[in-house]
Amino acid sequence: MRIVLTGASGGIGRSLMATLATAHDMIGVVRAPRPAAVGATYVSSADKPALAAALADADCVIHCALDAKAKGRDFLSVNRAMNTEILEGALGGRCRLYVFVSSQVVYSGTDPATPAGYREDQELVLTPREDDYTRLKIESEREVIAACGRAGIDYLIVRPTVVMGPGMAWSEGVVAASKWFAAGVRGRTMNLVEVGDLSRQVQLLIEGGARNDSFNIGTTNVRSEDYFAQVGALAGRRPLFVPDGLMRGLARFIPSTLWFFGRDVAIDTDKLKAATGFRPERPLAGYFARRPVHAAPNSLDALRQHLSSPHPFRTHGQGYYLWFNPQHADDRVAMAAYSGIVSLEAERIRVRAGTRLAEICDALDARGLQLATLPEFLGISAGACFFVDVHGSSREHFSMYELIEEIRYLDDTGEEIVAPRDEALWAELRARDSRFILTELTFRTEPASWLSNRMVWEKETDLDAYLDGGWRANLATTIQWYPHYRQLLVYHVNRTGGPDRGAARSIAPFRGLPYHWQRGVLAARLRGRTLQVDRAYRILAPWRELWFESFLEWLYDRRRAIWRDMEMCLTIEDGRSFIAQLRRLLDRGDMSVRKRASIGLRFSHDRVTGRDYVWVEFVSDAPELVERVIAMARELATEGVRFHRGKYVPR
């Protein structure tokens, strides 16, 4: 059956898409296409010709969309118009079944039929007290029944109760809102339905031949005090219940959307159970998405305890991956507390996985040693260097992974395994995404040295010369490219014998600043800022720590839906084609975006493959532009694209 589902990117819509796509040809209608279900296609609700064509060619249309962006007086008119558009589009095509996703709020204006609760055959009463959402659902149900009757087309009306599960407001949303203060209501009844169960119930109704009828989509009637006690347990807060007397006084002010808090009512789902034969039974906790546990173990025994946990978990070192990417549902084992230098001898340093690179570099410098390459920021953990291509943009080393000579990790039994470098084994271990604990790493070191860093403004036309091999003239070459201004800021890093009286010591770079700010800072020549000479590890990694790290973490958490800091790696050959295409894209693009755009380029060599590579970092507050750049790179790269796992990683 070809099914068109509106609202396919919403909480219920995503679940319906995933469930129905296993047996049907699904087309999801969304604001902006974001593929989520295997075997499904998507159309934008703004693309009216595509939407009309999809509706006209559907065997079944499920209308699940709500325009929640329409506020105040516009809410009712905007959503009425949308409902009518979808209904008429479906009835004008070859659709034989129209399914309207309503809500239990349609019962707010009347009393339950029996002590068992509200039944589907009750007459719906529309009173002046109903809010716009309730009025919309009641009026839409009536419109669907009347229009389908005139057209001779079957319909189904489904009325979900309190929908629970991953991403749903009544489970994750309420728990998150109760983090600081938890409040609840006693003496009421709530009917809960898990979103996956809801999707299965709708599927069984459609495939089982239920037609021209209404169904309450719910499962369990629970006491409100039990529900809020569970919320409090998950939020780590003891709920404060509204006194019964106060609740009775507030009842007439409760919006009809929450009418079930105003009086003790239940929902009768016997009709649904008889039609589907589906009777999911879950404990109350099973209706909530379990909140991930964040732990920071500081001993091997504590790490072993997490390894034996029945819950999935992922280990995290210091870094910034979580700044740019959504939180995952697994428990998080932070390795920051499992840190320290284990041994330093014979030009090898062995450290615990949570040890910051700054601590490693200080220990090495005290012994006249250093690491051969480093990332710009020393706040990253040693363990991250095993999983992520933490690079120093060197012509001699692709990343810090090359410097690791031995690792230790816990196997499934909790035994600590010593693993000298073995490319096949390490590749398999690096690919593990969860339930893997790396405990220690041993890095190869070398005698300490001095480096110089000279910053020079060059013309954009010089970029081709660097891509053609000019980057090899320096030990490390990093470029900040400002396409709109046709300028490059080039960092030339090379070996030197020692301090230079005319140079500054290493100063945290301003690379990535807006063009005019960058020009102003360097024009001031503050303490010879354009030439820096210092110990090699300070030149390669001038950021020992970010004192504003917590602010950046907060900022990206609030703006994650907009900001992207993406870095990808291509072979130098693919990089030439990509940069040429990127130039054309930016030349044709929005002028304001072009002015803000700045692109970081780093060059490196992989000793294992003998190949040269270019890293391209693209930061933008236009996520659609970043996604387009990523798609372009994937299309042009003959040998694939590697993404820096420490930053934004596209799905």
Side-chain angles (χ1 to χ4, degrees):
M1 185 184 299
R2 170 162 290 191
I3 300 177
V4 169
L5 171 68
T6 67
S9 60
I12 294 176
R14 289 195 303 271
S15 180
L16 283 170
M17 285 293 286
T19 298
L20 294 172
T22 61
H24 301 281
D25 179 11
M26 296 298 298
I27 300 174
V29 180
V30 294
R31 288 183 181 275
R34 268 185 267 173
V38 175
T41 58
Y42 294 80
V43 298
S44 170
S45 57
D47 188 345
K48 297 304 181 182
L51 174 60
L55 293 172
D57 194 39
D59 300 306
C60 170
V61 172
I62 304 176
H63 184 34
C64 187
L66 181 77
D67 190 343
K69 291 188 175 181
K71 305 294 183 182
R73 297 177 181 177
D74 294 333
F75 177 84
L76 202 54
S77 60
V78 168
N79 279 282
R80 277 172 175 162
M82 177 181 64
N83 290 357
T84 300
E85 176 188 17
I86 300 300
L87 180 59
E88 292 179 349
L91 301 186
R94 62 186 186 89
C95 174
R96 303 313 304 163
L97 174 63
Y98 190 85
V99 181
F100 178 66
V101 180
S102 185
S103 168
Q104 65 169 359
V105 301
V106 298
Y107 296 124
S108 63
T110 188
D111 295 322
T114 69
Y118 288 100
R119 288 204 320 248
E120 295 88 343
D121 57 2
Q122 289 188 243
E123 181 181 356
L124 303 182
V125 178
L126 189 58
T127 71
R129 288 189 53 212
E130 314 305 330
D131 59 27
D132 284 346
Y133 178 78
T134 303
R135 183 175 297 277
L136 174 71
K137 292 300 184 182
I138 293 176
E139 291 178 348
S140 297
E141 282 196 17
R142 293 172 178 173
E143 182 183 16
V144 167
I145 293 171
C148 288
R150 290 192 299 269
I153 292 175
D154 293 329
Y155 70 87
L156 275 179
I157 292 173
V158 294
R159 298 167 179 165
T161 57
V162 176
V163 184
M164 307 285 288
M168 305 308 298
W170 283 101
S171 48
E172 290 187 359
V174 172
V175 171
S178 302
K179 181 178 180 180
W180 305 112
F181 178 78
V185 176
R186 283 195 179 97
R188 302 294 186 264
T189 299
M190 302 171 63
N191 188 282
L192 310 181
V193 59
E194 201 275 335
V195 68
D197 293 339
L198 178 155
S199 300
R200 179 62 176 152
Q201 289 165 330
V202 172
Q203 180 184 28
L204 290 171
L205 288 174
I206 292 173
E207 295 175 353
R211 299 293 186 268
N212 303 318
D213 210 343
S214 302
F215 290 89
N216 293 331
I217 305 295
T219 50
T220 305
N221 286 309
V222 303
R223 298 189 311 164
S224 58
E225 49 264 51
D226 294 337
Y227 168 86
F228 285 106
Q230 183 67 40
V231 169
L234 291 171
R237 296 281 170 180
R238 185 176 180 179
L240 299 177
F241 290 96
V242 179
D244 292 340
L246 178 60
M247 197 66 211
R248 285 193 295 272
L250 294 174
R252 63 193 184 95
F253 299 106
I254 294 175
S256 56
T257 305
L258 302 175
W259 104 100
F260 51 91
F261 285 150
R263 48 194 169 143
D264 187 23
V265 297
I267 301 293
D268 188 334
T269 58
D270 287 348
K271 182 178 174 182
L272 175 70
K273 295 172 184 175
T276 63
F278 184 56
R279 298 170 180 264
E281 295 184 4
R282 297 172 180 266
L284 180 57
Y287 286 92
F288 290 83
R290 179 180 174 273
R291 298 196 77 191
V293 174
H294 295 173
N298 61 1
S299 70
L300 207 55
D301 286 340
L303 289 172
R304 289 189 175 109
Q305 288 180 6
H306 285 282
L307 193 64
S308 63
S309 167
H311 302 293
F313 66 85
R314 302 187 203 186
T315 56
H316 288 273
Q318 294 91 358
Y320 29 71
Y321 171 83
L322 295 175
W323 298 1
F324 309 120
N325 296 279
Q327 297 280 357
H328 52 71
D330 295 345
D331 288 351
R332 188 165 82 194
V333 178
M335 299 297 290
Y338 194 73
S339 64
I341 309 297
V342 179
S343 66
L344 174 51
E345 54 190 19
E347 298 189 351
R348 285 160 55 101
I349 185 168
R350 181 175 148 205
V351 301
R352 287 181 167 184
T355 312
R356 285 180 177 259
L357 296 183
E359 184 180 351
I360 296 173
C361 287
D362 286 343
L364 290 174
D365 190 56
R367 298 277 293 270
L369 298 170
Q370 66 183 23
L371 295 170
T373 189
L374 287 168
E376 196 170 64
F377 173 44
L378 287 184
I380 294 170
S381 69
C385 300
F386 180 76
F387 297 99
V388 180
D389 289 316
V390 177
H391 54 80
S393 306
S394 167
R395 71 177 183 219
E396 298 177 349
H397 297 283
F398 183 77
S399 72
M400 289 195 63
Y401 176 73
E402 292 181 12
L403 308 182
I404 303 172
E405 295 194 339
E406 180 182 277
I407 63 169
R408 297 181 181 220
Y409 65 94
L410 298 181
D411 68 6
D412 293 339
T413 68
E415 180 182 356
E416 190 173 38
I417 304 298
V418 179
R421 193 170 193 99
D422 179 327
E423 296 300 340
L425 171 63
W426 284 20
E428 186 270 324
L429 295 177
R430 293 181 88 192
R432 293 192 186 181
D433 196 36
S434 64
R435 299 196 64 82
F436 176 68
I437 299 180
L438 179 71
T439 57
E440 294 181 3
L441 304 93
T442 299
F443 291 92
R444 180 175 70 255
T445 67
E446 65 183 28
S449 63
W450 291 73
L451 293 178
S452 68
N453 175 24
R454 184 178 295 277
M455 290 167 279
V456 181
W457 285 102
E458 300 184 19
K459 296 179 181 179
E460 185 188 56
T461 51
D462 295 329
L463 181 56
D464 292 329
Y466 283 106
L467 289 166
D468 288 338
W471 63 275
R472 296 194 192 93
N474 302 302
L475 175 67
T477 304
T478 301
I479 297 175
Q480 196 68 27
W481 170 29
Y482 295 92
H484 180 72
Y485 300 96
R486 311 291 185 186
Q487 290 286 301
L488 309 175
L489 177 59
V490 187
Y491 294 70
H492 303 269
V493 175
N494 289 290
R495 293 185 175 90
T496 189
D500 186 326
R501 293 185 61 184
R505 296 186 65 185
S506 173
I507 301 171
F510 295 90
R511 187 175 54 81
L513 285 177
Y515 174 76
H516 290 294
W517 293 16
Q518 185 70 274
R519 274 284 188 184
V521 167
L522 294 181
R525 306 183 68 84
L526 302 176
R527 294 178 52 233
R529 189 180 298 276
T530 54
L531 175 62
Q532 300 175 10
V533 176
D534 209 331
R535 301 287 276 186
Y537 81 96
R538 293 184 181 275
I539 289 291
L540 289 175
W543 286 108
R544 294 182 56 77
E545 61 180 348
L546 301 181
W547 54 267
F548 48 86
E549 185 173 349
S550 58
F551 169 74
L552 287 176
E553 188 172 356
W554 173 86
L555 177 66
Y556 274 101
D557 181 61
R558 294 295 182 274
R559 305 290 288 174
R560 187 179 290 129
I562 296 176
W563 281 101
R564 299 284 185 273
D565 184 349
M566 175 274 304
E567 191 166 10
M568 55 188 172
C569 180
L570 305 96
T571 64
I572 201 75
E573 296 81 8
D574 287 338
R576 291 192 197 97
S577 301
F578 171 72
I579 295 297
Q581 186 68 14
L582 184 58
R583 278 172 168 161
R584 289 190 285 270
L585 173 65
L586 292 173
D587 282 341
R588 297 192 304 265
D590 182 280
M591 183 62 69
S592 63
V593 171
R594 180 181 168 82
K595 281 187 176 182
R596 298 196 305 273
S598 68
I599 298 149
L601 302 173
R602 307 167 186 261
F603 300 89
S604 60
H605 176 77
D606 189 335
R607 290 186 175 185
V608 176
T609 63
R611 302 294 301 279
D612 297 329
Y613 292 87
V614 59
W615 291 84
V616 181
E617 183 172 11
F618 199 94
V619 181
S620 175
D621 58 353
E624 65 282 354
L625 175 62
V626 176
E627 298 301 329
R628 187 171 178 186
V629 168
I630 291 169
M632 185 176 70
R634 283 174 164 156
E635 181 179 351
L636 289 173
T638 60
E639 300 186 43
V641 181
R642 184 183 318 185
F643 292 95
H644 193 306
R645 291 178 58 193
K647 299 185 179 179
Y648 168 69
V649 180
R651 293 183 180 179

